[in-house]
Amino acid sequence: MSDNEMNNQKTPQTIDSNVKRLDQSDLSLAVRSFLSNLDVNGESRLPQRAYLAVRHAIRHLQLPPGQTVLEREMAEILGMSRTPVRESLVRLETEGWVRLMPRRGFIVAPLVADDLQQIYEVVEALDGVAGRLATGRATHQELNQLEHLIEEQEKALELNDLLAWTELDDQFHNYIVDLAQNPRLRGIVDSQSDQLYRARLYTIGLRPKPTRSVTEHKAILAVMRAGEPEAVRTMLQSHRYRARNEILDALQSMPPLPEETGNNETFP
């Protein structure tokens, strides 16, 4: 039975019994801070603002997998009417971020092992292409910026700040994609990278301390400096493959949400 079929069979009573209480105060502060940045950038369209704010909250686990939110609650947090919020939720459901509950609200989509594996298979290949292209196009100064990001990662690990490390890890990989100077490649990677960031952040405490990732980043940079594009491609793909296996192992060690019991591939 598919996830959608199982979800369609759930009654409101089943959902209500497993609702996680939403901490509106912390979420409101985070959302207001994000919306203030949109103000600076001139984004005034309400559906777009709602879409970006909710997606940002999900990406950063301010709305964790499995969290149930009433539509009116989200409208209050965003300071909007329910119409633009509803429009944004329809778009987020299409992109796989939420599951809508008619006349009620939404559930933040759980992390699904099969989905993550498929995303990683795509990103592994694209990261390799990006590294190969970047090796021939990056300047000395740009490679130095990659080195700076690695140094910051090491500092974060020394402080045991895994949240900062996760953000720096994301910056390292995204910067290599930027250095490839291929807007189409950038767009495809962007469509998948937020889901991977959410999975990395969600599992970081259950995986080995990422010292090996830093070592691999140093090796990748060294080969980029040496001007060996095919070696960089292979190393980046191997790096992503190892990270994927760690994340999937961590997900499989977690108990499923009560409403997901019976589906061994879906995790909270």
Side-chain angles (χ1 to χ4, degrees), residues 43-71:
E43 181 53 70
S44 60
R45 295 169 297 165
L46 291 182
Q48 178 71 357
R49 287 169 65 86
Y51 164 81
L52 292 172
V54 176
R55 178 166 168 161
H56 182 270
I58 295 172
R59 181 184 191 268
H60 290 274
L61 302 184
Q62 293 150 356
L63 285 173
Q67 175 71 61
T68 302
V69 187
L70 298 178
E71 188 178 286

